[in-house]
Amino acid sequence: MGTRIAAATKPILRARLRSTPANGHVSFVPQIRKLVFEYCEKWPSSANTRTYLLQHVENLAKANPHVEVVVLQRNMREPIVRGFYLNDRDKVISLKESEVNQIQQKVQLLLDSSGAKIKSLKRRPVESTTEATRGIWSGFHTAEPFKI
Amino acid sequence: MASLLKLSSARQLAARALSTQAVAAPPSTSSALSLIRSQPSQYVVAAIAGKKYLLAPKDLLTVPRLNDVRVGDILSLSEIHELGSREYTLRGAPLIPQEAVRVQATVVEHTKGKMEVIVKKKKRKGYTRTIKHKQPYTRLRIGSIEVEGAEL
């Protein structure tokens, strides 16, 4: 019923006590968790994908033990590779009429990615969550106050 | 009104100024480094692939694609031009030696930017070209800044 008196010190809000994510700062967790290859047994558009699956997929799985590699037969569909990431997003790339080395490049693209949505990376090279080390300049705290 | 304006004393002026008074330069590099290390946070100006960036720990840095590294590799920054904290700065001539400051960066991902569509056209000549382009980038996470010197 009475008026609330403001606290003498600034209250600590619980959101400030959370830690911010910084993957790679101390330890790095690869962001890709699963790769799914979908192919057709008969159609010619999947021919190169079938060659890749017979020759290269096992070595890929051995070289990337953190990734779950799944081969899924989907008949009468175009070939596809799907990458699942830890941020619950997935990237789908069509392998229709791709040569085997092009398939290798697309798979490497999925392995290198973090799953984040593609956005323009031209403007801001440094993304920082820490406060400015040197402090922020304040016009009210200079040695000489500005005289009109 | 006029009396209020005249009231600023030397003490109040000093209290208003946030920057410290100038001190004599420290006698040796190690004492300069210990001064910087004693402050709560430090920054580093480092050059990667020819461009300088102001970096702090935990920053995510986006640079043009580095083809020789793989995701998860740890890189050691070899061109450090400046080390600083809130009140002190150590400037290299032109670089600060690796024995004094060490900063590492982890390769977090290799990505591409947004699709850019470049249209070239010459009027009345029937010349139109459309170029679709995605610039490749590498993203690095900066580790801690390790300043050399005896711990307290």
Side-chain angles (χ1 to χ4, degrees):
Chain A
M1 262 194 310
T3 53
R4 251 179 119 189
I5 303 166
T9 52
K10 200 170 174 184
I12 297 171
L13 302 171
R14 74 175 78 172
R16 282 219 159 251
L17 299 173
R18 287 179 205 146
S19 62
T20 45
N23 186 26
H25 176 59
V26 173
S27 57
F28 172 67
V29 177
Q31 294 293 296
I32 181 162
R33 63 173 178 87
K34 183 151 114 172
L35 267 180
V36 178
F37 292 90
E38 294 174 20
Y39 74 102
C40 173
E41 202 55 69
K42 278 207 186 131
W43 280 11
S45 54
S46 285
N48 289 324
T49 313
R50 290 193 293 270
T51 319
Y52 177 84
L53 292 173
L54 287 169
Q55 294 174 357
H56 296 111
V57 127
E58 220 177 303
N59 295 332
L60 172 86
K62 280 191 191 139
N64 297 284
H66 56 278
V67 184
E68 178 190 345
V69 179
V70 175
V71 172
L72 190 61
Q73 181 173 346
R74 283 196 87 204
N75 289 331
M76 305 212 290
R77 303 256 187 307
E78 302 296 351
I80 253 174
V81 62
R82 221 184 267 266
F84 292 88
Y85 297 90
L86 295 180
N87 60 356
D88 280 345
R89 291 189 77 248
D90 65 335
K91 276 160 111 73
V92 183
I93 298 180
S94 167
L95 303 176
K96 177 177 163 187
E97 285 152 23
S98 306
E99 299 299 322
V100 175
N101 58 358
Q102 288 170 344
I103 297 175
Q104 283 176 325
Q105 283 170 14
K106 294 300 178 192
V107 168
Q108 193 56 47
L109 192 155
L110 290 179
L111 288 171
D112 288 340
S113 173
S114 75
K117 214 165 172 181
I118 299 283
K119 57 180 182 184
S120 176
L121 295 173
K122 272 182 164 180
R123 297 296 159 216
R124 293 200 175 274
V126 182
E127 277 178 27
S128 183
T129 49
T130 47
E131 293 163 4
T133 312
R134 289 184 289 184
I136 308 288
W137 178 83
S138 160
F140 297 111
H141 297 91
T142 46
E144 282 277 321
F146 182 72
K147 291 193 165 85
I148 302 166
Chain B
M1 217 28 160
S3 58
L4 281 170
L5 286 170
K6 276 183 202 158
L7 261 176
S8 15
S9 62
R11 184 174 56 82
Q12 281 175 343
L13 271 175
R16 218 183 287 138
L18 276 186
S19 58
T20 47
Q21 306 302 315
V23 293
S28 67
T29 316
S30 54
S31 53
L33 291 172
S34 58
L35 266 178
I36 292 176
R37 204 176 56 251
S38 65
Q39 303 230 277
S41 60
Q42 290 80 28
Y43 70 88
V44 129
V45 172
I48 295 165
K51 285 202 167 72
K52 285 197 225 174
Y53 306 96
L54 197 151
L55 303 169
K58 290 197 206 165
D59 284 358
L60 188 62
L61 175 65
T62 307
V63 291
R65 178 72 66 92
L66 308 169
N67 286 310
D68 311 322
V69 282
R70 298 175 61 180
V71 171
D73 286 353
I74 301 177
L75 311 174
S76 179
L77 304 188
S78 58
E79 275 184 54
I80 299 176
H81 292 257
E82 198 176 297
L83 164 72
S85 64
R86 195 193 150 90
E87 273 145 32
Y88 309 106
T89 312
L90 181 70
R91 196 171 21 153
L95 300 175
I96 298 179
Q98 293 275 281
E99 297 84 44
V101 185
R102 277 183 310 275
V103 187
Q104 288 186 330
T106 310
V107 179
V108 170
E109 69 170 324
H110 289 306
T111 29
K112 294 188 188 178
K114 212 168 75 160
M115 179 77 87
E116 284 160 43
V117 180
I118 302 150
V119 179
K120 301 192 181 201
K121 181 174 171 166
K122 294 198 195 214
K123 292 193 278 199
R124 300 175 291 279
K125 308 300 171 203
Y127 173 81
T128 332
R129 299 285 182 269
T130 309
I131 297 160
K132 298 208 300 191
H133 170 71
K134 270 188 181 178
Q135 182 69 18
Y137 296 101
T138 300
R139 303 195 99 182
L140 307 168
R141 179 75 68 177
I142 310 296
S144 328
I145 298 172
E146 285 157 15
V147 183
E148 199 52 54
E151 295 296 321
L152 283 168

